[in-house]
Structure formats: structure tokens, C-alpha cells
Amino acid sequence: MTINHRPNQRFTFRKHALGGLLGGLLVVAAYAAPVTLNLKDADINALVESMSVLTGKNFIVDPRVKGKVTIISAKAMDEKELYEVFLAVLGVHGFAAIPGDNVTKIVPAAGAKQESVPTVELRSRVEADQIVTRIIQVQNVSAAQIVPILRPLIPPQGHLAAYTPTNVLIISDTAGNVERIAAIIARIDLASNEEVEIVALRHASATEIVRVLTALEQGKGRGDPAAATGTTPRMVADERSNSILLSGDKATRLRLRALITHLDTPVDSGGNTQVIYLRYAKAKDLMTVLQGVSKSLSSETARNAPMPAGQPGAPPGGSSSGGSSLVDIQADESTNALVITAPSDLIRSLRSVIAQLDVRRAQVLVEAVIAEISAEKTAELGVQWVAYGNSVIGFTNLGSGNASLANIVSLAAQVDAGSTTLPAADRVPQGLHMAVGDFSGDNQFGALISALAKDADTNVLSTPTVVTLDNEEAEIIVGQNVPFVTGNYTTSTGSSAASSVGNPFQTIQRDDVGIKLKVKPQINEGNAVKLEIAQEVSSVVPSANAATQGPTTNKRSIKTKVLVEDGQVLVLGGLIDENLNENAQKVPFLGDIPLLGNLFRYRGTTKLKRNLMVFLHPVILRDSAQGALHTNDKYSYIRDQQLAARERADYLLPNVQPPLLKPQPEVKAQGTILNVQPEAKVESAPPPAPVVEAGFGNK
């Protein structure tokens, strides 16, 4: 290594071994005199030592700092220039100098960003090859979007990151490269020239114009790759004010505004006709609403329209607006469509109304749970007497109905007379009856002991379920149509009263008996449902007088209006009833005798306890997924019950199976819920071979 300096300057020599590569190292310290550096395959540690002597700086060298350096220079350099060359040499060989208060550390450049490198500000005077950290504030663009663009410009040992909350970039690299990155960011971080412009339309529909222009811009981008890389304009239609919001650069907005002006032209004043197909609403019902809306819109348009040309204050070639006579709305029920004939501005307004009314309405699944538990206990015990002698008869007839002594004696006399006719069912008493006595002599007597104990328990659970649209009434009836006799009439066949009676007939009225549920839901904002409910449960009571007076029915009905949350169970009404009836029949004085008085008494006790409650469970089905969920639940329940019934069934006929719903996967795959087997494919027979007729002789 040779270090040359200008003549007439004092210098000092020092020699070091270079490990066989150089014979010696000559370092000259000439105070502030310029020095010319020429190195060839010099040890980098020797260069560090020389820079310490020339610049007066203290260095700490990392053990990983090793290598040979070569420097070729043609002119002398001062102390500052020498240190800049030194930092450049370190950077070329992958090392960096980390300045401190009294010492400078020389470490590998890969770990330099983790050391205490200085954080510089704008226009800081730092050597170009010095490792520094700088924070750059980004004003107009997103810092996170710039990072992928600048990443290739940062060496592997550098660092580049974005802090989103404050929109800043943190860069750690050489001072020169940091300044270059800062200059690039300054050119990128520019305020956009895009503005938002509102273009009001008078004749055309803003939604339709936006659709046409959007298709035009997309086609232009596909046909011109250069245009596709530019800024794409944005267009949004405001249906309320019939305006278009344009966003883009000035040239693009000017071009689009010119197109909008050409498209926003009036059509024939006689109006045009459009057919609007409805998806959910009913055309006939919606027609009535639109006819009322069109009258108000036509009146408002007529008031705001300019006066015709020729009148004072009217613009030349003035315009006329369609009145109510130009609006015609008809409903086609076969296609569920509306046919509207009106000026364009009225059609646009009516379309906006139709779009808000023709929406999918939610459905409501209503389950009414009728739970009834009743218990009835009856006990009867009594003794009845009869005595006959010397033309005197005496008896006690204490029982009621079929259990009376008179009825039982009549049945006994019928049997004693040898009658083979069975007594009517309504005359046979219930319970245990035991008779004792002597009826063989002149003095006859007998006693009848009657005892009855009956327990009856009832547990009824009915859950009628119905699904209906919002604001639509639904009704479900599960029961029988029972006849009720309303009158009997007869006509005589002769003129006298003694003539025979003929042509008897009855008038009958039939009523539904069973479970009835009528409901009309109204979904409020949120998840509340207002319900108008009419619930009725009726049943026929088997009684002895049904044949003569007609059947007797039990009826429980509720008619109310309630407000229920979605999925909530609410009690509509109910009855908790407990009745205890006790009756006693006895012979005066004799029935009051202790113990013996039981022979002259007839007692009965009936206890009836009844619990009846009606609950309501509505569920809002807002889309098809919720409807399918509840349907699948009910479907699976019925199928499980059918499978359980098939396992318990025992049929005498062979090859007889009870009906069974198909599994849901098969329903989806086959597209039908019926158990219909696909028809077997019949392969068509090959066509017969052609018949070739051969003939001989001349024709």
C-alpha cells in the first residue's frame, strides 16, 4: 500500500506485515495535508487503522470484518473526502460504520440497521454511505401502497416499513439511498386531480345512463390496454334526485358529461309504453296503488312544467308535460305484469315505487299448542228397598238414572218373563248391583245394593301449525263435519185428524267440529310479530240423548290480538278448574240412624279437575334457508314416526308395506316427493333386414 502526499510536507512511516501479500504498510500522517490513496489487495483492518490515524476517529472492529480491499485514486483528498471513500469501501464489501459519541463501530451491514444508527431529518448533512434511519410523512397516498413499489429499491440489508395509523414510512439504509427514496416518494405523493361532479338529468333515467356508460368504459378498457392502465372513472346514480355523480380526471369528466348531455334528450311527448314484470307483488293489487300515485305525480309535474311557447315569459319552443290523461296503467294477471303508458319522467318515478313495493315478503310459521289435562273421579254407594204384602207395596227409589230401583226391577221382570230380547244399552246401569230378598210367599221383600267407582284421566296435546305470508290471513281446520238436527216435520195423508201420519222429515245443519286456527300476522320493525288469532277446539260428547236431542259439543275458543317476539312462546289463555260435587239421598229419620242409616241412604261423590292452556309460538321465515330448516325438521319427524310404525306393524297380506316418505337426499336427487319408480327403458328392436325379391324373365 502506498500513500502519497504533496511535497514539502512532514510525514511519519510505520511498517506492518501483510501476511505475504504485501511487503509492508506505510502510513503517513500529514496532519491536514491532502493524501492520495492507492491500495491493492490490502487488508481491510489495516485500512481501518490507517483511517484512524488520518481522521483521528476511534474505531471498534467487529471480528466478522475481514477481507482485502483495492483503491485506485488519481488525485489527493482531504480528511472529509478520505472518510467518504472509507465508508464507500466498507459498503462495497458489505460492512457499515455506526457512529457513536466517542467511537465508531464497524460491523457487517446486514445487522447495521439494528444498531444505534442516527435518525436524520430533511436536509441533514451526512456522508452518502453512512447508515441512517429516516421517517417520511406521506400526505396524499397510502403509505402501505407505496411499500411494494419501493421495496426493490432497498438492498437486502436495508429496511422499509409503513406505519398505517399515522401514514408514515420508516427507511433504514445509506444516507444517499434514503435521499433517493425520499425524492421518489415526493414525486408519487401528489394530490390527485380527481373531483366529484354532479350532473342532473331532466329526461333520461340516471340508472339507465350509468348502465350504458359503464358498459362503454369497460369495453374501452378491454380494447385499449393503454387505457385500461389509466384511471378508471366512477359513476354512481342517485335515483332520488335523478342525478349522476362523476369521479375522475378533468378530461374524462368532460368527455362523459358530453355523452350524458347527448343521451339526456326528451322523447315523444305522447309518452311511451313499458311492460314491467313483477316478482313478488300481485299485479292487480299493485295497479290500484300506482294509479293513485300517478295522479299525484302528474299533478306535480304539470305545476312544475314550463309554460308553452308563445305565452309571456315562456322560453322559445317551450315544452309540455304529460298530465293524468297521458298515464295509463293496466295489469296482466296471466303474466303478473304491469303495462304502463306515460311520459319518461313519470315512468321513471313509477319504476322507483314498484322497485320498493315488489320485494320478497317474509313468512310466519305459527304453532298453536293446546294442552289439556283432566282427571275425573266418581264414587256411588247406596241401598234401596222394596216390600210387598197384603196388597200393600213400599219401596225406596233413591238411585238416579239407570241405577234407580224402578229401572232395575223392570229389567228383572223382563228377564223373569223369559224375554230373549237384550235390553237397550241406555237402560243398563253402570257399576256393581247386588239384589237379595224373598219373592216366593205372600210377603215379599228385596234389597238392592249399588256401588260404583270410576276414574277417568285425559291428556290431550294438539299443535296445529300454519305458514302464511306477512299480512295474509291463513286458516287450518282439522276435524269432522257433524250433523245437528234443527227441526222435525210431519204431514198427514188425510183430511181428518184420525188419518195416518206420513211423509216425516227432518232439517239438519252440519257444522265443523275439531281444531280450527285462523291467524293473520304482521311483522313489525325488528323481530316482533303482531298476530290476530282465532283459536277454537271443539269435540262431540257421547251422551244418551244424542239420538233424540242431537249431539252435545265441548267448545273452547280464543279470539285475541297479541304482540310476540320471533321464536317466543306466549300463553294465549287457559282454564284451571276443580269441581267437587257431593249428593246424598235418604229416607227421613231412618237415614239418620247411626250405622243402620246406611241401609236407607244413597250417596255419590264426583271430583273433576281440569287444566287447559293454549300457547303460541311464531317463527319468522325471512328467506328460503329458514323455511327449509323448519320444513326439514317436520319432514324428518314424520318420517321417523312412519319408520317406527312400520317396525310395529304386522300385516296378514304379503308384500304389504305402510306408506313411507322418501329420504330427503332422494327427494333432492329425483326432484319429486312421491314414491314413483322410474319407468324401465325398453330397448328398441333393430329394424328388420330389407327383403330382396329376385325375379326371372323379361318384363
Side-chain angles (χ1 to χ4, degrees):
M1 178 180 66
T2 304
I3 302 178
N4 300 325
H5 62 92
R6 292 183 178 180
N8 302 323
Q9 299 293 333
R10 297 181 62 184
F11 54 87
T12 306
F13 295 92
R14 212 163 16 162
K15 184 176 182 181
H16 298 275
L18 295 178
L21 296 176
L22 294 175
L25 173 65
L26 184 63
V27 181
V28 178
Y31 303 103
V35 177
T36 301
L37 281 178
N38 286 295
L39 305 177
K40 183 177 181 181
D41 294 334
D43 186 32
I44 192 171
N45 290 298
L47 177 61
V48 172
E49 184 177 355
S50 301
M51 287 297 107
S52 177
V53 174
L54 294 174
T55 61
K57 297 180 180 293
N58 299 323
F59 296 100
I60 297 178
V61 183
D62 190 280
R64 294 170 292 180
V65 179
K66 297 178 181 179
K68 305 294 184 178
V69 299
T70 300
I71 302 175
I72 301 174
S73 63
K75 67 175 184 177
M77 296 174 287
D78 56 15
E79 180 181 342
K80 181 180 179 181
E81 294 174 339
L82 285 174
Y83 191 70
E84 291 179 355
V85 172
F86 174 65
L87 294 178
V89 171
L90 292 178
V92 170
H93 290 78
F95 305 113
I98 310 300
D101 294 337
N102 299 318
V103 68
T104 300
K105 295 184 293 183
I106 299 177
V107 297
K113 59 186 177 182
Q114 300 173 356
E115 299 290 340
S116 57
V117 297
T119 301
V120 298
E121 300 295 337
L122 186 63
R123 298 187 183 90
S124 296
R125 294 185 178 181
V126 182
E127 291 81 359
D129 293 303
Q130 177 66 52
I131 301 295
V132 296
T133 299
R134 182 171 173 179
I135 300 175
I136 301 176
Q137 179 70 51
V138 183
Q139 300 292 339
N140 301 296
V141 297
S142 174
Q145 295 178 352
I146 302 179
V147 170
I149 301 174
L150 301 178
R151 179 72 66 184
L153 304 179
I154 304 296
Q157 63 271 18
H159 176 73
L160 174 63
Y163 184 63
T164 307
T166 56
N167 201 41
V168 297
L169 288 172
I170 303 175
I171 306 175
S172 182
D173 199 7
T174 60
N177 196 32
V178 169
E179 288 294 333
R180 181 172 70 101
I181 297 298
I184 295 175
I185 294 174
R187 295 190 177 186
I188 296 176
D189 187 22
L190 298 176
S192 176
N193 60 349
E194 292 188 0
E195 296 181 1
V196 177
E197 184 177 350
I198 301 177
V199 181
L201 303 181
R202 296 185 57 189
H203 307 284
S205 171
T207 304
E208 186 66 18
I209 295 296
V210 168
R211 184 188 65 81
V212 174
L213 294 182
T214 302
L216 178 65
E217 294 298 321
Q218 292 177 350
K220 179 181 178 181
R222 288 191 296 267
D224 187 4
T229 59
T231 303
T232 303
R234 293 188 296 273
M235 294 168 285
V236 179
D238 180 23
E239 297 183 2
R240 185 185 63 84
S241 60
N242 195 36
S243 304
I244 299 178
L245 280 71
L246 292 178
S247 176
D249 56 77
K250 186 176 181 181
T252 303
R253 286 186 283 109
L254 181 61
R255 176 174 56 84
L256 293 177
R257 191 165 60 249
L259 292 176
I260 293 173
T261 303
H262 287 293
L263 294 176
D264 186 26
T265 55
V267 295
D268 185 10
S269 60
N272 56 0
T273 301
Q274 293 190 15
V275 179
I276 302 175
Y277 294 94
L278 303 180
R279 300 179 59 189
Y280 305 105
K282 192 175 180 180
K284 187 175 181 180
D285 297 339
L286 196 57
M287 178 186 67
T288 307
V289 178
L290 294 179
Q291 286 176 347
V293 173
S294 63
K295 292 180 181 179
S296 60
L297 291 177
S298 300
S299 301
E300 183 179 356
T301 304
R303 288 194 303 268
N304 298 332
M307 300 177 62
Q311 295 187 8
S319 61
S320 62
S321 176
S324 59
S325 60
L326 299 178
V327 180
D328 181 50
I329 302 175
Q330 300 294 331
D332 182 19
E333 298 186 25
S334 59
T335 59
N336 195 36
L338 291 171
V339 182
I340 302 177
T341 301
S344 300
D345 53 348
L346 290 181
I347 288 183
R348 183 174 60 252
S349 300
L350 293 177
R351 274 186 170 274
S352 176
V353 175
I354 293 173
Q356 298 180 55
L357 295 178
D358 186 26
V359 295
R360 180 189 178 98
R361 288 190 293 171
Q363 301 181 100
V364 181
L365 169 69
V366 181
E367 288 181 309
V369 182
I370 303 112
E372 180 178 0
I373 301 175
S374 62
E376 181 181 1
K377 294 185 178 182
T378 303
E380 295 182 5
L381 178 62
V383 180
Q384 304 176 65
W385 291 90
V386 61
Y388 173 77
N390 298 326
S391 301
V392 177
I393 185 170
F395 61 88
T396 58
N397 189 26
L398 303 177
S400 62
N402 298 333
S404 64
L405 179 62
N407 180 59
I408 295 177
V409 170
S410 175
L411 292 176
Q414 182 181 349
V415 175
D416 186 59
S419 176
T420 58
T421 303
L422 293 177
D426 56 355
R427 293 190 60 190
V428 178
Q430 296 181 353
L432 174 64
H433 301 271
M434 183 176 62
V436 295
D438 183 11
F439 295 93
S440 60
D442 294 335
N443 298 321
Q444 302 175 2
F445 72 95
L448 177 65
I449 302 174
S450 301
L452 173 64
K454 183 177 71 172
D455 290 342
D457 294 331
T458 303
N459 187 352
V460 180
L461 178 65
S462 302
T463 57
T465 303
V466 65
V467 179
T468 181
L469 282 173
D470 183 23
N471 278 326
E472 295 291 341
E473 186 179 273
E475 182 178 5
I476 181 173
I477 300 177
V478 181
Q480 296 177 330
N481 194 261
V482 179
F484 292 88
V485 178
T486 59
N488 295 315
Y489 300 91
T490 58
T491 59
S492 60
T493 58
S495 59
S496 63
S499 300
S500 60
V501 178
N503 297 330
F505 65 92
Q506 294 178 334
T507 58
I508 296 176
Q509 176 182 350
R510 292 184 174 271
D511 292 333
D512 293 329
V513 176
I515 298 175
K516 300 179 183 179
L517 174 62
K518 184 183 293 184
V519 60
K520 183 178 181 180
Q522 179 182 349
I523 302 175
N524 298 336
E525 184 176 0
N527 291 325
V529 183
K530 179 183 177 182
L531 295 169
E532 297 181 11
I533 298 173
Q535 170 70 49
E536 179 180 322
V537 180
S538 57
S539 60
V540 177
V541 179
S543 60
N545 56 0
T548 58
Q549 300 179 3
T552 303
T553 58
N554 292 329
K555 184 176 180 181
R556 304 170 181 88
S557 64
I558 295 177
K559 187 175 182 181
T560 182
K561 298 179 181 179
V562 295
L563 187 65
V564 194
E565 293 293 329
D566 179 22
Q568 177 186 359
V569 178
L570 181 69
V571 60
L572 294 183
L575 172 67
I576 299 178
D577 186 16
E578 186 171 356
N579 294 328
L580 178 62
N581 297 325
E582 294 185 359
N583 60 79
Q585 300 178 14
K586 63 181 178 178
V587 178
F589 303 109
L590 295 179
D592 296 331
I593 300 174
L595 297 179
L596 294 178
N598 292 326
L599 299 177
F600 302 94
R601 282 186 294 185
Y602 195 98
R603 292 174 296 174
T605 302
T606 302
K607 183 179 181 181
L608 176 61
K609 187 175 183 180
R610 179 171 49 192
N611 295 323
L612 172 65
M613 289 293 169
V614 180
F615 300 92
L616 190 70
H617 179 225
V619 178
I620 301 176
L621 308 178
R622 298 191 180 276
D623 50 26
S624 59
Q626 290 181 331
L629 177 64
H630 289 275
T631 301
N632 296 340
D633 187 18
K634 304 293 184 182
Y635 190 93
S636 300
Y637 171 77
I638 294 298
R639 175 174 167 80
D640 293 341
Q641 296 298 317
Q642 290 180 336
L643 289 174
R646 173 175 286 190
E647 294 178 358
R648 297 190 303 266
D650 186 11
Y651 296 96
L652 296 178
L653 295 177
N655 301 325
V656 173
Q657 292 291 340
L660 180 65
L661 294 175
K662 293 195 300 185
Q664 295 184 21
E666 293 185 9
V667 175
K668 295 180 180 179
Q670 300 177 7
T672 177
I673 201 171
L674 301 176
N675 285 311
V676 179
Q677 298 295 333
E679 297 181 358
K681 296 182 179 180
V682 180
E683 297 182 358
S684 59
V691 179
V692 180
E693 297 181 355
F696 299 91
N698 296 329
K699 295 184 179 180

